[in-house]
Amino acid sequence: MSVSVILAEDHAIVRQGLAALLQAEPDIALLGQAADGAAAWSMIAAHQPDIAILDLSMPQATGIEITRRVEAAALDTRCLLLTMHDDPAAALEAQEAGAAGYVLKDNSFEDLVLAVRSIAAGGTFVSPSIRAKLRALQRNGQTHPALSDREREVLRLVALGHSSKEIARLLAISPRTVDTYRSRLMHKLGLHSVADVVRYAVQGGMLG
């Protein structure tokens, strides 16, 4: 039996390339593609696929937010998060949200297919390059203070040098809301300047 899958990724070239590769796999049935979180959730609710491959950072709703919705609705769909960030804290947050898999975008397509098949068989999958870091965090209890998905995205954009107005435009929120997120995340992490934010983001692998 084939594994039914939906794919949500906001970068069209990446999404279309992955879709073509997935459609070439004889045991994977790609039911549809979504370019943002809202479309992804609608597609999951309508089709209830075996696996939802979700980009971690998407407009309207992140992969982790969608995963939480899937868990809250008690759907049988299992979520596999796809991300460019080699950040064990994000992987831990994904696991806590209920994600069954966490794959880095710089891994091979074969790793993604292995993750899909492993999850469909009832298992889990974490990219090998982040697995050791994740285990170290869990073993030592040295997880970062819990940031929301939006706080993490604002932190990353601040570290990249974007102003509040630029961040507001990128995330489709108001500059005042950006400032609120910025103040809140800096308080949570004990950061006092933009330089501290940059240092934190670099050490956490959030700019890769």
Side-chain angles (χ1 to χ4, degrees):
M1 294 181 63
S2 62
V3 179
S4 59
V5 171
I6 68 106
L7 172 65
E9 160 65 57
D10 61 326
H11 293 92
I13 291 177
V14 175
R15 183 179 67 252
Q16 291 165 5
L18 286 176
L21 291 169
L22 289 168
Q23 288 170 331
E25 295 296 319
D27 59 337
I28 295 177
L30 182 62
L31 302 183
Q33 305 174 43
D36 58 59
W41 172 244
S42 295
M43 201 171 291
I44 291 169
H47 299 291
Q48 298 193 26
D50 297 319
I51 308 290
I53 301 174
L54 307 169
D55 185 16
L56 184 67
S57 300
M58 290 186 291
Q60 301 189 37
T62 68
I64 289 179
E65 289 170 343
I66 297 300
T67 300
R68 291 193 179 112
R69 292 185 195 178
V70 169
E71 290 296 300
L75 301 180
D76 290 333
T77 298
R78 306 193 74 198
C79 296
L80 168 59
L81 297 190
L82 189 62
T83 179
M84 63 183 289
H85 303 303
D86 187 5
D87 180 1
L92 183 62
E93 185 179 6
Q95 287 187 347
E96 290 173 345
Y102 192 91
V103 175
L104 299 178
K105 289 184 180 179
D106 61 2
N107 289 157
S108 67
F109 177 70
E110 286 72 20
D111 284 336
L112 179 62
V113 171
L114 176 60
V116 168
R117 290 171 178 155
S118 298
I119 292 169
T124 60
F125 186 94
V126 176
S127 289
S129 59
I130 201 170
R131 193 178 300 144
K133 295 180 182 179
L134 180 58
R135 286 174 178 168
L137 280 180
Q138 294 170 322
R139 183 172 60 250
N140 299 326
Q142 296 175 344
T143 55
H144 297 306
L147 297 180
S148 69
D149 299 322
R150 187 49 61 89
E151 287 169 346
R152 291 179 61 81
E153 187 63 14
V154 169
L155 185 152
R156 188 179 71 84
L157 292 171
V158 168
L160 288 171
H162 292 286
S163 68
S164 291
K165 287 185 178 180
E166 290 170 336
I167 295 171
R169 179 176 53 81
L170 289 168
L171 301 183
I173 57 179
S174 72
R176 179 173 294 182
T177 301
V178 172
D179 289 338
T180 298
Y181 281 123
R182 181 172 175 167
S183 176
R184 187 187 304 159
L185 71 88
M186 291 180 73
H187 176 73
K188 284 183 178 182
L189 300 175
L191 306 178
H192 305 289
S193 67
V194 173
D196 289 340
V197 172
V198 173
R199 189 177 304 110
Y200 180 90
V202 170
Q203 291 174 346
M206 299 176 69
L207 305 183

